[in-house]
């Protein structure tokens, strides 16, 4: 079955895919402990970031049989902060906004400063995992990065995603991102292939 990759233009669609995919992952559970609170908060958060990436990066969708099967959200670093980010998060996250702030601060401390492309999110629609679609999304952007001699950075949110990125040329950064009384994230770097 052939998969087609295209540029996305609808931040809400992208945010919805990411929210659905990450609804039960360890980072989401730490940030928003009550499962019933997660969907609207996550949709708003991921849509906010996808909209910013449409202006300061690249947002891809991968389609299988005409249906959206996954998305990838890349930023071209350095990129500006989202205007009004903290106020927006406070408005939709309510009592959970503090944890969003903690995660953001921890991520900011470890984020490299040299020019690179930052993979903020990659997410596959439920039922579409294990078919090589995530790898296709990665290869699509990596080809461009290699042609430009540009490195890439990301934070893997699980051991499983870390293993995927290791297979695609990423290496672990020296320091882990440890959330207070919460899960670990794995900052990773990919040098361009010559």
């Amino acid at each position: 079955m052939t998969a087609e990759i295209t540029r996305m233009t609808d931040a809400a669609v992208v945010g919805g895919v990411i929210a659905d995919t990450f609804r039960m992952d360890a980072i989401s559970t730490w940030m928003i402990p009550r499962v019933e609170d997660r969907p609207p908060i996550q949709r708003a958060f991921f849509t906010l970031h996808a909209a910013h990436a449409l202006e300061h990066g690249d947002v891809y969708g991968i389609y299988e049989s005409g249906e959206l099967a996954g998305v990838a959200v890349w930023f071209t670093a350095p990129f500006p902060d989202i205007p009004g980010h903290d106020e927006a998060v406070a408005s939709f996250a309510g009592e959970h906004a503090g944890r969003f702030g903690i995660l953001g601060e921890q991520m900011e401390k470890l984020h490299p400063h040299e020019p690179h492309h930052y993979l903020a999110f990659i997410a596959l629609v439920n039922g579409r995992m294990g078919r090589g679609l995530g790898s296709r999304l990665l290869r699509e952007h990596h080809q461009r990065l290699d042609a430009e001699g540009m490195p890439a950075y990301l934070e893997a949110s699980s051991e499983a995603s870390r293993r995927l990125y290791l297979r695609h040329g990423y290496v672990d950064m020296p320091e882990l991102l440890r959330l207070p009384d919460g899960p670990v994230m794995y900052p990773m770097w990919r040098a361009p292939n010559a």
Side-chain angles (χ1 to χ4, degrees):
M1 189 174 299
T2 307
E4 178 188 352
I5 295 176
T6 186
R7 297 289 180 124
M8 300 293 288
T9 58
D10 189 331
V13 169
V14 174
V17 170
I18 301 167
D20 290 346
T21 301
F22 291 164
R23 189 171 65 87
M24 298 303 290
D25 85 339
I27 304 302
S28 296
T29 302
W30 178 83
M31 291 174 67
I32 311 164
R34 287 193 307 271
V35 68
E36 63 272 15
D37 291 348
R38 274 184 225 139
I41 295 171
Q42 287 184 302
R43 282 177 189 276
F45 179 78
F46 293 128
T47 298
L48 180 70
H49 284 264
H52 199 55
L54 289 172
E55 294 181 28
H56 301 285
D58 300 281
V59 182
Y60 301 98
I62 189 164
Y63 287 80
E64 247 187 347
S65 302
E67 293 183 356
L68 183 61
V71 297
V73 176
W74 290 88
F75 285 95
T76 303
F79 53 92
D81 292 337
I82 297 172
H85 178 272
D86 294 346
E87 295 80 5
V89 170
S91 73
F92 59 70
E95 66 184 279
H96 307 291
R99 290 199 176 211
F100 280 83
I102 291 167
L103 176 62
E105 289 168 10
Q106 294 297 322
M107 291 170 76
E108 183 69 26
K109 282 182 196 173
L110 299 178
H111 202 112
H113 296 290
E114 60 264 39
H116 63 278
H117 283 207
Y118 170 51
L119 178 60
F121 311 107
I122 189 167
L124 298 177
V125 171
N126 290 331
R128 305 280 184 151
M129 290 146 194
R131 297 156 79 155
L133 299 174
S135 290
R136 280 279 316 276
L137 279 167
L138 288 171
R139 284 195 302 269
E140 178 78 12
H141 199 71
H142 289 167
Q143 288 174 2
R144 176 178 155 198
L145 297 182
D146 292 344
E148 295 175 3
M150 182 68 69
Y153 173 75
L154 58 82
E155 302 99 356
S157 61
S158 68
E159 270 291 346
S161 62
R162 177 179 167 270
R163 288 191 296 272
L164 169 69
Y165 300 129
L166 287 170
R167 291 195 303 271
H168 285 273
Y170 289 83
V171 296
D172 292 317
M173 298 286 279
E175 195 173 344
L176 294 176
L177 192 160
R178 297 181 187 278
L179 293 169
D181 299 317
V184 170
M185 295 177 78
Y186 306 88
M188 303 182 79
W189 183 259
R190 180 187 183 271
N193 289 326

